[in-house]
Amino acid sequence: MKKNILIVPGDGIGQEVTAVGKKVLDKIAEKYGHEFTYDEALIGHAAIEATGNPLPDESLEKMKKSDAVLFGAVGHPKYDNDPSAKVRPEQGLLKMRKELGLYANLRPIKLFDELLGASSIKPEILKGADILFFRELTGDIYFGEKGRKDNGDTAFDIAQYSRFEVERIARKAFEAAMTRGKKLCSVDKANVIETSRLWREVVQQVAKEYPEVTVEHQFVDATAMLLIKDPKRFDVVVTANLFGDILTDEASQIAGSMGMLASASIGDGTGVYEPIHGSAHDITGKGVANPMASVLSAALLLDISFGLKQESEDVINAVDQVLKAGFRTGDIADSSTPKDKILGTDAIGEEILKRL
Ligand code: NAD
C-alpha cells in the first residue's frame, strides 16, 4: 500500500513523541511491504515563531493533500500565562479541526493489565474497563461567538449546536456501538442547558435506527462520578465538545496516564491522529515523555485511515509486550518498578521497535 503521511509534531513533547510514532510507522511499512512517504508541517507555537501564524496556509494545504496526519500537541507556557495574547497556539489546533471537518474525536480508553497498579483507582474497579469515547469536535462553546463587553469586565462564549451536527456524531457512535457491546451512553446537561436538550432529542431520534443498541442518557456531573465509581458500566460514550474534553482527561486515569491515551479525529477528509495529552512543558527536553500515546495513535491511523487492522494490532501488541517485559516510563512506573526498567522516550521506543 502506498500512502503519504504528514507528521505535525507541534510543540513541547509533541516533537519528542511523534518522532517515536513515525519510527513505528516506518517499521510497519518495512515489515508488511508498504510504502509510506512523509512530509512535515508546522503548527502552534512553532508555527507562530516561524511565520506569525499558528496554522500557516502551507501546513493546511499539506494536511488536506495527505492521506493521514500524525499530530503531536500544541501549547507554550508563554501563552498559558498571558490570557490577553491575541495569537495563540491553540488557534492552530481549532482551525485545523474546523478546516479538515474533523467533527468526531474517538478516544479508546483501555487499560493494559500490566498497568493496573499505575492508576489511582483500585485495580478491582478498573480491571476489564473498556470505553470508547466519541467527543464532538467542531461545535459547542469552543467555536461559538466569544467576546467581552462592559469595558472588558464581562466575558461571554456562546455554545451552539445544530441538529445536523449532533446527528452525524450520534450516528458514528451508534455504528461503533453495533461493533462492540451494543451499549451507548449519551452525556449531556439537559436539565439546564438548551444545546443539551437538542442533543438529547436528536440522540433519541437516531436511537430508533439502532434498536439493538441499549441507550442511556446521563448528566455530565453524574458521569464524572460514575467513571471513577464503576468504569466497567460504560461501552460507547458520546458527548459534546466541552464535556468530552473534560471527561476524557478524567478517564485517562483509568488507563493509568495521559501518556497512554491515543485519539483519532475523523470527519469528511484527512484523519488526524494524536495523543490526548498536551505539550507538557514541565518535562519537555528531558527525554522522559511517554511516547506510547503517539505510538497507539499511529496504530489508530493504520486501522481507521488505511484499514490495516493486522498492522494496527501488531503495534498494540508490541506496546503490550514492552509493558509485560516490565519496562515503564516515569509516568506509569510505581514503587515496585525496578530503577533499570524505567526508560526514557527513545529507549522505550526502541523496545517497542524491537518487538515489531
Ligand atoms: P499536559 O497534557 O501537557 O500535561 C499534564 C500533565 O501530564 C503534566 O504533568 C505532564 O508532564 C503530564 N504528561 C502529559 N503527557 C505526558 C506524557 N506523554 N508522558 C509523561 N507525562 C505526561 O496538559 P497541561 O499541562 O494542562 O498543558 C500544557 C500545554 O499543553 C498547554 O499549553 C495546553 O494549552 C496544551 N494542551 C494542548 C493539547 C493539544 O495539543 N491537543 C491538549 C491539552 C493541553
Side-chain angles (χ1 to χ4, degrees), residues 76-88:
H76 192 276
K78 185 168 136 189
Y79 307 91
D80 296 341
N81 300 326
D82 178 11
S84 66
K86 292 268 177 294
V87 179
R88 312 184 62 82

Side-chain angles (χ1 to χ4, degrees), residues 13 17 71-77 80 90 93 97 257-259 274-283 288-291 331:
I13 63 165
V17 298
F71 174 67
V74 294
H76 192 276
D80 296 341
E90 296 77 13
L93 183 67
R97 289 172 179 169
S257 164
M258 303 254 275
E274 59 180 295
I276 81 152
H277 62 72
S279 46
H281 282 274
D282 52 337
I283 55 167
V288 297
N290 183 348
D331 57 313

Side-chain angles (χ1 to χ4, degrees), residues 38-317:
Y38 305 92
D39 197 356
E40 275 215 20
L42 290 171
I43 194 170
H45 172 68
I48 297 173
E49 291 285 288
T51 68
N53 182 347
L55 182 61
D57 290 345
E58 190 194 341
S59 294
L60 192 56
E61 279 314 304
K62 283 185 179 180
M63 288 171 181
K64 286 182 178 165
K65 283 194 192 133
S66 68
D67 293 312
V69 174
L70 187 71
F71 174 67
V74 294
H76 192 276
K78 185 168 136 189
Y79 307 91
D80 296 341
N81 300 326
D82 178 11
S84 66
K86 292 268 177 294
V87 179
R88 312 184 62 82
E90 296 77 13
Q91 291 164 342
L93 183 67
L94 295 184
K95 187 171 170 198
M96 172 179 80
R97 289 172 179 169
K98 199 76 180 173
E99 291 280 333
L100 296 182
L102 303 171
Y103 63 85
N105 184 230
L106 279 68
R107 297 185 172 193
I109 312 265
K110 197 171 174 179
L111 180 74
F112 287 91
D113 277 350
E114 294 71 30
L115 294 183
L116 272 172
S119 173
S120 44
I121 307 172
K122 287 184 198 136
E124 63 270 26
I125 291 188
L126 279 183
K127 200 167 165 44
D130 180 358
I131 310 172
L132 179 59
F133 269 92
F134 278 80
R135 167 187 169 196
E136 200 288 330
L137 206 58
T138 51
D140 207 358
I141 198 162
Y142 288 47
F143 288 94
E145 193 191 338
K146 49 185 85 243
R148 296 272 180 118
K149 51 188 184 182
D150 304 334
N151 291 326
D153 289 338
T154 305
F156 61 90
D157 299 271
I158 309 271
Q160 187 168 305
Y161 267 121
S162 70
R163 188 173 289 279
F164 166 72
E165 286 172 316
V166 183
E167 211 174 287
R168 64 182 178 178
I169 180 93
R171 206 159 264 130
K172 281 246 183 285
F174 273 104
E175 292 292 340
M178 287 295 289
T179 67
R180 295 175 43 107
K182 297 197 170 69
K183 269 174 68 185
L184 182 131
C185 176
S186 171
V187 178
D188 60 34
K189 186 77 184 165
N191 48 344
V192 183
I193 297 175
E194 196 55 38
T195 44
S196 277
R197 282 194 269 271
L198 175 72
W199 182 278
R200 193 173 282 216
E201 186 185 311
V202 174
V203 172
Q204 280 168 346
Q205 228 163 37
V206 176
K208 291 183 191 146
E209 297 166 31
Y210 301 89
E212 286 176 57
V213 178
T214 309
V215 183
E216 69 165 341
H217 299 270
Q218 287 286 354
F219 295 134
V220 63
D221 37 354
T223 309
M225 179 270 294
L226 288 168
L227 271 173
I228 301 296
K229 187 172 174 238
D230 184 15
K232 284 197 280 275
R233 76 194 300 288
F234 295 105
D235 176 18
V236 174
V237 177
V238 62
T239 191
N241 203 344
L242 178 63
F243 299 155
D245 194 358
I246 299 165
L247 290 177
T248 50
D249 264 29
E250 183 193 348
S252 74
Q253 285 315 295
I254 297 170
S257 164
M258 303 254 275
M260 294 302 299
L261 280 193
S263 84
S265 300
I266 55 171
D268 307 324
T270 314
V272 175
Y273 299 84
E274 59 180 295
I276 81 152
H277 62 72
S279 46
H281 282 274
D282 52 337
I283 55 167
T284 296
K286 295 185 178 156
V288 297
N290 183 348
M292 293 193 201
S294 181
V295 170
L296 295 169
S297 298
L300 283 176
L301 181 157
L302 292 166
D303 179 2
I304 299 174
S305 274
F306 299 169
L308 299 173
K309 291 226 177 300
Q310 194 187 332
E311 286 85 336
S312 175
E313 274 166 28
D314 209 1
V315 174
I316 297 168
N317 279 337

